[in-house]
Amino acid sequence: MTFEKWMRESLDRVETALEHFLPGTDIAPAKLHDAMRYAALGGGKRVRPLLCHAAGELTGASAHAVETASAALEMIHVYSLVHDDMPAMDDDALRRGKPTVHVQYDEATALLVGDALQSQAFIALTTAGNGLNDAQQAALVRELALASGSIGMAGGQAIDLESVGRKLSRPELETMHRKKTGALLRASVRMGALAGATPDAAALKALDDYSAAVGLAFQVVDDILDVIADSATLGKTAGKDAKDDKPTYVSIIGLDASRELAAQLSRDAHAALEPFGARAQRLAELADLVVNRVH
Amino acid sequence: MTFEKWMRESLDRVETALEHFLPGTDIAPAKLHDAMRYAALGGGKRVRPLLCHAAGELTGASAHAVETASAALEMIHVYSLVHDDMPAMDDDALRRGKPTVHVQYDEATALLVGDALQSQAFIALTTAGNGLNDAQQAALVRELALASGSIGMAGGQAIDLESVGRKLSRPELETMHRKKTGALLRASVRMGALAGATPDAAALKALDDYSAAVGLAFQVVDDILDVIADSATLGKTAGKDAKDDKPTYVSIIGLDASRELAAQLSRDAHAALEPFGARAQRLAELADLVVNRVH
């Protein structure tokens, strides 16, 4: 199967899984469920679900188990976007080419949409018949909660907030990104792998090395795109980092060095996958996608 | 052991468990962890942990398992208070006798504190060596996530928001409270019970009946206290429901009928516990506490 066809099929499966795990608007409260679906369905690059699908192929995870894990990951990601866009945080009006949730609905609804999407992710992981046995359900909840919480994504956002208008060193910037986006990307790969035959410690270590490189590359490319792309292509407000005086790779090491760093991280990601051989084909292709993307 | 001594010991154990499961301020990001501890430690009635402890005694749950479950429950409850107090929601300045998190810190921190406390609850439930086996971890996550999410607590808050300034019927008011506070109180009892020897369907049904009565009684008494108590006793702003034009039992059926309703619900709670005999002593005492409390 070509990578393009694998991508399209995987994206379709993610959308179907999200449809399945999000409460319908026929269930009360309808407005909240409508807003949750507005935020989560029909948009986004779905990088985390794709990483999860690719890692699941490595350990022979069932389609059903991987779909459950990837839906949970995307719900956590979307909740973080909804809260991050709120006036108290980044105050952004555009996301995935649509008005943000607090603009389309209201602030209180955006707050509850994020809160409920986080809960819904853990509901999905522990729903009977979701393809995961008890031990896998518990393990995947642990991975996802740790990646989401104060030593993961939420902690990275707290560090991000404190860094606005202040000059970060490159190690400080890396620490922030390792938590803010890196933790959930790492969990995406680990959860996909753990949804199949439990990988040994060496395999998990290799996958973590891969994730660390891809996670950082993702952020470096994000910073590059914020400078060189336009809002229509990005689906969110371009040039916002500089306007908000946020520290970025481009602001700290410059555009050319940022491009070279992204290329090096791509090589690191591929090197980490060597022990897996051809079984890691999709993960390797996703590393290329992350580095070469234009939005 | 007297009820008072049992209460004091249980409250000490809850505080110790929260101390244990909340990241320390020596771990980055320090400010976020400080704010999480400010919100969760050293205050509150701890109704949910107490219900969890009492239900755990019924099924022979280990002290360790019950402490894990009760800490997770309280973290979810506290996250909901932190978000509920924010300007986009109730905009309240006082909670548990202290400035609310967004007042003491800032709005963005309050948002992240709530988000991270929710994650931390699921971390606690799935941490190795927490007294729960894999099946119990998965079951307790399921109970807590369902009670927290869009068909539980967050859904109840959404309905609450939509009801401000509008005349609710008594059935509508009950639906709102069953979700907003009832779902988590019910989960408190179920999680305590499930942390021990798995109860049969009839026992769970009896416990749900108990929780439904106690949950509604809790809300009716809350509405009564909002009218008759002062802010110093309550530890939060008194008279706020009337000022905000929120529908309450007192506004719909009056003060005397509200008092009679609370007494009837207390009788219902005791009736539901009959099959358990003396093993349900603490649950029976807690039903009395909920109805007779003065704050």
Side-chain angles (χ1 to χ4, degrees), chain B residues 60 93 98 138 154-155 184 196 204 215 217 272 282:
Chain B
K98 301 190 295 192
L184 197 58
L204 275 179
R282 301 307 179 197

Side-chain angles (χ1 to χ4, degrees), chain B residues 36-48:
Chain B
M36 287 167 74
R37 300 174 76 85
Y38 173 86
L41 295 175
K45 295 181 287 290
R46 310 292 197 207
V47 173
R48 290 150 197 84

